Amino acid sequence: MVKVSNNLLGLLNIATFLISIPILAGGIWLSRQANTECEQFLEKPVIALGVFVMVVSLAGLIGSCCRVTWLLWVYLLVMFLLIVLLFSFTIFAFVVTNKGAGEALSGRGYKEYRLGDYSHWLQKRVNNNWGRIGSCLQDSKICQKLIDDGSNTAANDFYKGHLSALQSGCCKPSNDCNFEYVSPTNWTKTPTSSLTNQDCVTWSNDPKTLCYSCQSCKAGLLDNIKTDWKKVAIINIIFLIFLIIVYSVGCCAFRNNREDNSWKRYP
Ligand SMILES: *[C@@H]1O[C@H](CO)[C@@H](O)[C@H](O)[C@H]1NC(C)=O
């Protein structure tokens, strides 16, 4: 029994060590992906988690193989904290990403995005970092395709076409502005145009400005972040179940180590 749980713990820790490699790789991939280069507050925690899991599984591996009781102690404590932390983060991610979705409009192939629909926490994060994120979006190529298509796109084709959340939020004026279509990124104000939405005032036909400072652009970004976080939260749940199994085996190995040692001490 002693050997079984110790060996099993060793094996499971090799597995967690191997798992930490894709977590790390995932974090690095997230930081390099073109579309998410403006969401850089997401991948740092993932990279940190990968490094953390790697160190913890090494401690567990050495603790169980070499029968180092104090290392197993530290390992179990850190593992417990990791489970609590991951559990809290998963709940948090679900709560934060629960609110907000694009709004479908009749006769439009794309959705419209409103900042007020998303969780207050996310709104605050994106508002506080908008200087950096906004200029990052401006440098990115999200609106380039629409600018290049230019007047080749008839109004009806544009209305029926699909736009990503960022394109809908940042590259065209909001639907309630009622602007007249010239090209996807060129709209004229008419007497019937509404300016009650602040975004309608912020809009400019200048390709460098467009709607990059609009609330709808922030909402489009939040919609992307929401989708990413949902995926991360689901992966977290799978990982959490695995960690709880490893933790239970770790507890078993720890108890066995102690019994082993007391046997030696009191024959
Ligand atoms: C928008 O279209 C109008 C009318 O065709 C044109 O005069 C104007 O130069 C265009 N603006 C931009 C920024 O392309």
Side-chain angles (χ1 to χ4, degrees):
M1 186 57 210
V2 175
K3 276 199 177 134
V4 170
S5 61
N6 269 308
N7 289 349
L8 193 55
L9 187 66
L11 275 179
L12 286 172
N13 273 303
I14 292 173
T16 43
F17 183 76
L18 291 179
I19 286 174
S20 68
I21 296 170
I23 295 178
L24 255 181
I28 292 165
W29 173 79
L30 267 177
S31 68
R32 295 190 173 216
Q33 214 197 356
N35 212 22
T36 47
E37 72 189 21
C38 306
E39 303 161 24
Q40 284 194 339
F41 52 95
L42 184 66
E43 86 284 352
K44 274 179 204 139
V46 178
I47 293 177
L49 179 72
V51 172
F52 191 56
V53 170
M54 207 173 245
V55 172
V56 170
S57 52
L58 271 181
L61 198 59
I62 297 169
S64 61
C65 290
C66 312
R67 304 272 173 94
V68 190
T69 308
W70 70 266
L71 202 57
L72 265 184
W73 238 114
V74 174
Y75 167 76
L76 287 179
L77 188 73
V78 173
M79 195 75 159
F80 180 73
L81 289 179
L82 186 65
I83 289 174
V84 171
L85 214 79
L86 206 60
F87 184 73
S88 320
F89 174 75
T90 307
I91 302 266
F92 177 73
F94 271 113
V95 169
V96 153
T97 57
N98 192 31
K99 274 181 79 182
E103 186 192 342
L105 302 169
S106 66
R108 299 283 187 272
Y110 48 82
K111 290 178 175 169
E112 295 257 304
Y113 299 85
R114 267 175 234 286
L115 187 61
D117 293 346
Y118 292 85
S119 89
H120 288 292
W121 188 84
L122 281 180
Q123 284 184 44
K124 216 168 149 190
R125 289 306 304 264
V126 85
N127 271 327
N128 289 345
N129 292 292
W130 194 247
R132 185 174 56 78
I133 305 170
S135 53
C136 172
L137 286 176
Q138 224 167 341
D139 293 339
S140 73
K141 299 272 172 256
I142 50 166
C143 299
Q144 199 55 49
K145 189 181 168 297
L146 297 176
I147 294 171
D148 290 346
D149 284 354
S151 44
N152 295 333
T153 316
N156 266 338
D157 292 339
F158 176 72
Y159 289 140
K160 274 186 221 140
H162 172 77
L163 293 178
S164 72
L166 277 176
Q167 284 173 331
S168 169
C170 313
C171 310
K172 63 159 193 54
S174 164
N175 193 56
D176 11 290
C177 302
N178 237 337
F179 289 169
E180 198 185 354
Y181 176 91
V182 179
S183 83
T185 56
N186 188 344
W187 300 71
T188 32
K189 291 177 187 170
T190 64
T192 58
S193 293
S194 153
L195 295 177
T196 45
N197 184 343
Q198 189 60 34
D199 282 357
C200 305
V201 182
T202 310
W203 169 263
S204 159
N205 284 339
D206 178 357
K208 285 202 161 34
T209 312
L210 298 180
C211 223
Y212 289 121
S213 311
C214 290
Q215 302 299 96
S216 59
C217 187
K218 298 175 187 174
L221 183 82
L222 281 194
D223 202 74
N224 272 3
I225 290 175
K226 208 189 96 157
T227 316
D228 287 348
W229 276 43
K230 268 255 157 74
K231 284 179 203 153
V232 170
I234 288 167
I235 292 169
N236 266 352
I237 289 180
I238 298 168
F239 190 56
L240 204 53
I241 293 171
F242 183 74
L243 276 188
I244 290 171
I245 295 172
V246 175
Y247 183 73
S248 315
V249 176
C251 282
C252 224
F254 180 66
R255 209 183 50 212
N256 289 336
N257 265 11
R258 285 223 312 204
E259 279 168 8
D260 231 22
N261 290 346
S262 53
W263 258 102
K264 276 179 218 149
R265 246 177 274 144
Y266 313 107

